[in-house]
Amino acid sequence: MEKGEPENPNRLNKYACACSIVASMITIIFGYDTGVMSGAMIFIKEEFMVKESQLEVIAGILNLCALVGSLCAGRTSDIIGRRYTIVIASIIFLLGSVLMGYGPNYSVLLAGRCVAGVGVGFALMIAPVYSAEISSPSTRGFLSSLPEVGISVGILLGYLSNYLFSKLPLHINWRLMLGIAAIPSLVLAIGILKMPESPRWLVLQGRLGDAKKILKKVSNNAQEAETRFQDIKKAAGIDCKDDVDVIKLPNSIKTNGRGVWKELLIKPTPTVRWILLAGVGVHFFEHATGIEAVMLYGPRIFKKAGIKSKEKLLLANVGIGLMKFTCITISTFIIDKIGRRKLLLCSVFGMILTLTGLATSLTVVEHSKDKVLWALVMSLVFTYTYVMFFNLGLGPVTWVYSSEIFPLKLRAQGASIGVAVNRLMNATVSMSFLSLAGAITIGGAFYLFAGIAMVAWLFFYYFCPETKGTPLEEMEVLFSRGKAGNNGE
């Protein structure tokens, strides 16, 4: 250790933190797009006189297009790098926001939502991967959680935008809500160019000198930087002298993403198959357990619970945004101490209880001829506590876990598959919830989500080992051991 350096090698590196914060700004824009639509739909329906099915499409199409974007982002980030992929995401967001803000009719609004959706796919895949690759093992959970914090900040800003702009004339309010996101998209596209590239991607390009320089900045001391550099070289299969700055890599190493799909999906090793199952599983259950129903259709749930005025509905939605932001912030600071696995299991257990309670309360409200005050109050309480449990664990851990478990060469495209599944489930819930609630009642829909949460708890117990403090280059060893239930603690 060099003279004058602090004794604690596990402290948070300020430069790495700054890099992750800037990268996470892209998820703030995505969160805003998600949150703002919940209130904007009220006014879009009023101006364009659209059907419920058309509202479901406008809500869910973002995620179907994000599925395409995430699959493209994996290969793109392997070819041009993590940093420029964030620039592309920002530009796509910019175009989508301009189209939605213009929105002279439903078709143009839908087109803008589709374009923004592609940007969402890029953002959700690249921000956690960039943060994971630039951080050290001891603080990776914290830095990899920042994109999820960004989403919660964006959703809260979207809800506040709903409330503030709702007082403007109908033909202006929702257009401002949707179009204003173009401004931060432009700022980010320029600002991200000042951030460094991922050192792990640089190693895969043979740019060892550049990678080593960045590792010195994002590490707490020279010894840590050297250890991380040697681990990355070993994981990439590179064997050369340490004083070499640039080397020409064989095609077997410098793949630029080629052949990765084969190793992931067609002929995976048992270890990679387990990693893929865990990575896809956390993304599947994140949305299969119903969070999008609450985040997107919160005003409708509150209306069912007895809140009638538009202003109070939007204000209650702001409360959800505040709860989400608060709990994710808490999770960000404890994830490296408590661990991913314990947070997942505790979070999902709480979700099972609160989803069951919410379903029961809403069922009582729906089937009672008279106003049942306790059921109305409990519907609100269970909605907020469900959001609390989700954002203390499953919400942020999903993105941390899936961004850190894949091997170096498979990481970008492995993460992109997880995000694609995430967006598919998000779209499925957001585009079917109104129809599902109509078919089996809104209470029945939440009973269904509670049942899925029970399956999720079992999945996480048996298939998701603890990754806290494990270097990225040792994840394959971790997943090569016994069952998660035995080695996860």
Side-chain angles (χ1 to χ4, degrees), residues 114-174:
C114 288
V115 173
V118 175
V120 166
F122 271 80
L124 289 180
M125 176 264 144
I126 195 59
V129 168
Y130 178 87
S131 296
E133 291 191 340
I134 212 156
S135 57
S136 62
S138 61
T139 58
R140 190 176 61 242
F142 174 78
L143 296 183
S144 298
S145 296
L146 291 181
E148 185 69 12
V149 174
I151 294 174
S152 67
V153 170
I155 288 175
L156 178 57
L157 291 175
Y159 289 162
L160 289 171
S161 175
N162 287 155
Y163 182 70
L164 294 174
F165 291 137
S166 64
K167 298 174 176 60
L168 297 175
L170 179 62
H171 67 286
I172 294 176
N173 57 14
W174 66 266

Side-chain angles (χ1 to χ4, degrees), residues 60-81:
I61 198 69
L62 181 91
N63 297 297
L64 287 179
C65 294
L67 187 156
V68 177
S70 65
L71 292 175
C72 294
R75 182 68 184 275
T76 300
S77 66
D78 278 341
I79 296 173
I80 67 173

Side-chain angles (χ1 to χ4, degrees), residues 30-50:
F30 156 61
Y32 179 87
D33 265 359
T34 300
V36 80
M37 185 55 74
S38 65
M41 284 193 295
I42 298 173
F43 305 104
I44 291 169
K45 181 178 182 181
E46 189 175 339
E47 179 170 344
F48 293 147
M49 304 298 290
V50 294

Side-chain angles (χ1 to χ4, degrees), residues 18-41:
C19 292
S20 294
I21 290 172
V22 173
S24 300
M25 285 178 63
I26 191 71
T27 61
I28 295 178
I29 303 170
F30 156 61
Y32 179 87
D33 265 359
T34 300
V36 80
M37 185 55 74
S38 65
M41 284 193 295

